Structures are given as structure tokens and as C-alpha cells.
């Protein structure tokens, strides 16, 4: 049984939990000499006004794309500064729940997904469900849910 991770995907959304997950993913990638994938999903539900089915202003979409590019560039630079050379940035549109666990991870042969724990309350989780919960339930690889900012020693 191989105990080395070769392809690590970390979900990035701009939250403090995602930053903690990123830091842990960098540490794990360094120890395993792994390919690190930084992934952000622009939620397609935010791109369409669901109550009317009307497209949102192009400026909103442009802002989401610019924010995603900026965020991943920042994290890619930090990963490089920490000694990682095999770092990939992935930006896609869709449902983060579906894209990460069911599409990107199998396509990229990911063997570890690292993501931050949800900030939702119990009622929100009942109606919506968290992205991290969905990844944990449907991913075909190991999943690390990061709940604290404590880094590995």
C-alpha cells in the first residue's frame, strides 16, 4: 500500500478555513514531493439570478474571475516561496460540491483533497449541505477537513 500522496488538491474560496487548509496542504505536499493543485470554483448559481433566470451583469462575472485569479496567484506564489515547484491553479464554473469531488478529483487522479470546514450553522447545513461534507461523502480518495489554523510540526 502506497502511503505517499502524489496529487493533492486544496479547495480555495478566500475564507480563513481555506487558508488554513492551504497551509496544511503545502506542508503535506512538501513532505510527499507531490503535485499541488489549487482549486477554486465560481459557483454557477451565483452567475444566474435564479428567481428570474436572468443573467447577472458581466461586471459581476468579471469581478468573480478577477478575484479567483488574484487569489490563486497569491497562493501559488506562497507555495513557490515555500519550496514547491509543481503547483497548478484550477478555476472552473459550476457547483463546488460536484466539481471538486466528482469531476476534478477523478480527472486529475487526486489522492488527497484538503478543504476547510464549513462555517454554516446547523439549519443551513440541513437545507444546503456544506461543500466539505459533500466532498467527504462522495470523493473516491482521502479527504482532510481542516478545522483549526494549527500547522503540522
Amino acid at each position: 500500500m502506497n502511503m505517499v500522496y502524489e496529487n493533492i488538491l486544496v479547495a480555495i474560496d478566500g475564507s480563513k478555513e481555506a487558508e488554513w487548509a492551504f497551509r496544511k496542504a503545502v506542508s503535506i505536499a512538501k513532505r510527499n514531493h507531490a503535485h499541488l493543485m489549487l482549486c477554486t470554483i465560481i459557483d454557477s448559481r451565483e452567475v444566474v439570478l435564479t428567481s428570474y433566470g436572468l443573467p447577472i451583469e458581466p461586471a459581476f462575472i468579471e469581478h468573480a474571475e478577477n478575484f479567483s485569479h488574484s487569489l490563486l496567484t497569491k497562493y501559488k506564489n506562497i507555495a513557490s516561496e515555500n519550496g514547491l515547484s509543481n503547483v497548478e491553479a484550477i478555476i472552473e464554473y459550476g457547483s463546488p460540491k460536484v466539481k471538486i469531488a466528482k469531476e476534478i478529483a477523478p480527472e486529475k487522479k487526486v489522492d488527497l483533497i484538503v478543504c476547510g470546514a464549513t462555517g454554516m450553522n446547523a439549519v443551513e447545513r440541513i437545507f444546503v449541505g456544506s461543500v466539505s461534507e459533500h466532498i467527504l461523502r462522495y470523493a473516491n480518495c482521502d479527504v482532510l477537513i481542516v478545522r483549526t489554523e494549527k500547522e503540522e510540526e
Side-chain angles (χ1 to χ4, degrees):
M1 180 153 130
N2 188 359
M3 298 301 288
V4 175
Y5 295 113
E6 296 176 358
N7 296 299
I8 300 170
L9 183 142
V10 60
I12 305 288
D13 65 3
S15 68
K16 67 181 181 203
E17 291 85 3
E19 183 176 343
W20 300 341
F22 165 76
R23 285 195 249 145
K24 288 194 181 186
V26 166
S27 177
I28 296 166
K30 282 175 65 174
R31 277 197 319 269
N32 288 269
H33 306 287
H35 174 210
L36 181 63
M37 290 165 263
L38 311 174
C39 176
T40 191
I41 308 298
I42 298 173
D43 195 333
S44 58
R45 293 172 298 180
E46 294 177 5
V47 177
V48 175
L49 289 172
T50 55
S51 58
Y52 299 104
L54 300 172
I56 288 182
E57 291 295 318
F60 175 82
I61 296 169
E62 184 178 340
H63 173 73
E65 289 173 346
N66 289 340
F67 174 77
S68 297
H69 283 288
S70 173
L71 190 62
L72 292 187
T73 298
K74 171 187 154 188
Y75 282 125
K76 192 171 183 180
N77 290 338
I78 293 169
S80 294
E81 291 167 6
N82 279 279
L84 292 177
S85 58
N86 194 358
V87 181
E88 177 181 359
I90 301 168
I91 298 174
E92 293 207 14
Y93 286 91
S95 165
K97 293 177 179 184
V98 174
K99 282 287 191 184
I100 293 170
K102 295 181 179 178
E103 294 179 21
I104 296 170
E107 175 186 310
K108 298 284 190 172
K109 296 181 178 34
V110 169
D111 46 21
L112 175 65
I113 299 172
V114 183
C115 60
T118 180
M120 292 183 187
N121 65 37
V123 174
E124 289 172 316
R125 283 194 305 271
I126 289 170
F127 290 110
V128 180
S130 72
V131 172
S132 57
E133 177 186 358
H134 195 271
I135 291 170
L136 186 59
R137 186 174 304 250
Y138 293 103
N140 289 325
C141 62
D142 290 351
V143 178
L144 173 61
I145 306 293
V146 178
R147 296 186 183 282
T148 66
E149 87 179 292
K150 182 178 177 187
E151 292 187 47
E152 297 177 353
E153 312 259 336

